[in-house]
Amino acid sequence: MAYKPRFESDELKILRYLNKRIVLSEKDKKHYLNLKKGYEGEVVFDVLTEKLSCDCLILNDLLLKVNNTTFQLDTLIITADTIYLFEVKNYVGDYYYELDKLYKKPKKEYTNPLHQLNRSASLLRQLLHNLGYNLTIEAWVIFINSEFTLYQAPLNIPFILPTQVNSYLKKFDMIPSGLNGKHMKLADQLISPHIEESPYTVLPPYTFDGPRKGITCFTCDSFAVSVRGNRCVCGDCGHEEMVGSAVLRSVEEYRYLFPDRKITTNDIYDWCQIIKSKKRIARILDKNFNIKGFGQWSYYD
Ligand SMILES: [Zn+2]
């Protein structure tokens, strides 16, 4: 199991919630879909690294800082002698490489992930040096999507193409064991300064009255959900969910979308729309949160 597992970022979560509740601008929508696609690619790679049986520590999704520069690493694998750094790309389509540049056919230039990889590797080297470690770093770009093709890739470039990923990872079986306390300490050091909030987060502005309110379906995101007894039933796909769990799911979205607002019965009643009784909302909140304050000033934590 990964020593540090990967989670969906707050930014992606919030954009996912917003996407069903407001009309995102073209730019925000594109940003959201890019983040989503990138995350999905990383998860595909995680499934493969999970299967590694060698003596290694896998750290996913690290946000690190060295000399005031923040950098993000998709996947890091610590073995006895070497640290493997992977930048995962979920590109789809026909690309070609020309004079250190990456293009999508017919001719749209993309940022060459090699530059990002080199920057990350160099910053990681500095960080390891500062922490007093002397381990070799091997850095690779992994193109994870089987529908990605790269023409004219130079032979010496550290790119692993979709058809090479499995055979590349097989080599890890041959890696000698030898992890010790020093490696564990390094892993813990890399995790501990992990900055939770990414400085790159870009969200569109919105207020409580902006996003469409209502409980959405767990499976299809539809707003055509109605309450029948103790269940919420989706009018589009027929999915049924216990009212309590549907309300808690909505509270979760509310918390991410409005981190500065307190959880109150009135707000959640308003946010859910389809629960006709405030008492029912209060009962669900009572059961799952701690109540703070008194009377009309009370809220949940
Ligand atoms: Zn549905």
Side-chain angles (χ1 to χ4, degrees), residues 171-273:
K171 289 180 194 155
F172 276 75
D173 291 343
M174 311 301 285
I175 283 175
S177 52
L179 285 186
N180 55 39
K182 190 185 80 180
H183 299 97
M184 295 297 278
K185 190 180 164 206
L186 169 61
D188 288 333
Q189 280 174 316
L190 292 175
I191 291 172
S192 69
H194 184 255
I195 313 154
E196 289 297 337
E197 211 165 310
S198 167
Y200 313 116
T201 302
V202 191
L203 292 172
Y206 58 90
T207 62
F208 185 59
D209 293 321
R212 179 170 172 189
K213 298 182 174 79
I215 291 179
T216 57
C217 171
F218 176 78
T219 20
C220 76
D221 281 348
S222 165
F223 281 87
V225 174
S226 55
V227 179
R228 271 182 235 159
N230 58 3
R231 282 163 204 278
C232 284
V233 182
C234 175
D236 281 341
C237 78
H239 183 263
E240 293 188 12
E241 185 180 13
M242 297 303 284
V243 168
S245 115
V247 168
L248 289 178
R249 217 164 33 75
S250 302
V251 172
E252 184 69 0
E253 292 190 24
Y254 169 92
R255 286 169 68 168
Y256 272 94
L257 289 173
F258 312 105
D260 299 330
R261 283 182 89 95
K262 292 198 160 84
I263 301 169
T264 62
T265 305
N266 279 335
D267 256 18
I268 300 304
Y269 172 77
D270 188 13
W271 181 243
C272 290
Q273 296 278 312

Side-chain angles (χ1 to χ4, degrees), residues 116-127:
Q116 195 187 344
L117 184 76
N118 288 339
R119 176 183 179 269
S120 299
S122 150
L123 290 166
L124 180 65
R125 204 166 285 123
Q126 285 176 51
L127 181 63

Side-chain angles (χ1 to χ4, degrees), residues 38-92:
Y39 177 72
E40 287 164 356
E42 288 157 12
V43 170
V44 171
F45 187 57
D46 292 349
V47 172
L48 300 176
T49 58
E50 278 292 315
K51 292 183 198 148
L52 293 178
S53 55
C54 65
D55 195 14
C56 65
L57 292 164
I58 302 169
L59 310 182
N60 293 321
D61 190 25
L62 293 173
L63 193 57
L64 300 167
K65 204 174 194 176
V66 66
N67 307 334
N68 269 324
T69 308
T70 306
F71 61 113
Q72 200 162 8
L73 306 179
D74 289 342
T75 302
L76 203 69
I77 300 183
I78 302 176
T79 66
D81 310 313
T82 307
I83 291 195
Y84 294 86
L85 160 62
F86 299 105
E87 173 69 35
V88 181
K89 293 292 175 202
N90 196 10
Y91 295 171
V92 173

Side-chain angles (χ1 to χ4, degrees), residues 117-144:
L117 184 76
N118 288 339
R119 176 183 179 269
S120 299
S122 150
L123 290 166
L124 180 65
R125 204 166 285 123
Q126 285 176 51
L127 181 63
L128 293 182
H129 178 82
N130 291 355
L131 294 171
Y133 294 93
N134 187 18
L135 286 158
T136 308
I137 297 176
E138 253 196 49
W140 297 91
V141 177
I142 303 272
F143 292 96
I144 196 71

